[in-house]
Amino acid sequence: MEENIEIIVKEIEGKINNIDNLKDLNDLKLEYMGKSGIITKMQSGIKDASNKKEYGMKVNTVRNTFNDLYNGKLNELNEIEINKKLESERIDVTMPSKKVKKGTKHPINLTIEKIEDLFVSMGYDVVSGPELETDEYCFERLNLPKGHPARDMQDSFYITENELLRTQTSSVQARYMMAQEEKKPIRIIVPGKTYRREDDATHAPQFGQIEGLVIDKKENNVSLADLKGTLEVFAHTMLGSDLDLRFRPSYFPFTEPSYEVDVTCFKCKGKGCNLCKQTGWIEVFAAGIVHPNVLRMNGYDPDIWGGFAFGPGWDRICMFRYGIPDIRLMYQNDIRFLKEFDRRDQ
């Protein structure tokens, strides 16, 4: 083996220079540097050499020569592979690009923004409150004491005996009135999520309400006429200028008198169709004059103060505004549905 070292070095140089792919280069490394490789055996034979020092130096020269030639060839082949890949994956920047999918505002968010802009322009403040509410603010301070039969109308999600997911944003009315240490006129809207055990084409277990509340001194004559005018502006702005409103007496514990408010069916213009169930009207609002008990329980003297409240649902307004047939479509995050609002004139 000692006499063949010069031959082995020339052999390594010749083989590496003739290699043109990474597989053959790796095979050559195993042939010389593997467990049974030629250079590995030479290193094992140092202990048996007649002149260990000289022979060991020659073996190191062979190993270093191999490593240098191997690394040089490896870098060369890697560079060739990279250039081939760059060539095969070259991008023609003159070709038309694919359309990038981009997000759009959700129709519910578009509806909420439009409603908020409208009421802010009318002098209202936008306020919010907790979605996890206590029984006191969700019911009792709104003239719904424990055992009141009207509670059955709001099938609720209770978290504890005294805490529940709010069934209405009216709870913020009580919180806002209680927070006014210096009693003063109130003009607020409260957009927010509410929760009831419902699930069909026009109802969902989670839905949105836009609570409205106006309170002023009775000497300023805040009346049903002001409520009607406010709702007319809202309906004409959000649903169409050619709609009429109809007030029907109803019952709500927190208002007296109370009304269900319908608008002319925007599909058939009042003639009767499947959307309005042949009546020519669609229910949109619940409204009324704030009940004296609600004022009294929340710190406002009903002999001095009065006002009105109203509560459209943003889901239904959104459905009517954009012609959406099923409320569940708005909560499925289906890109085929959401992209329809990309270029719509908002």
Side-chain angles (χ1 to χ4, degrees), residues 330-343:
M330 296 190 290
Y331 295 101
Q332 292 173 350
N333 287 329
D334 190 330
I335 189 66
R336 294 170 298 178
F337 167 74
L338 296 176
K339 72 179 182 180
E340 296 298 323
F341 303 90
D342 191 5
R343 293 187 177 90

Side-chain angles (χ1 to χ4, degrees), residues 231-244:
L231 298 185
E232 283 180 343
V233 171
F234 178 90
H236 292 162
T237 302
M238 297 302 299
L239 302 176
S241 59
D242 56 346
L243 301 178
D244 292 325

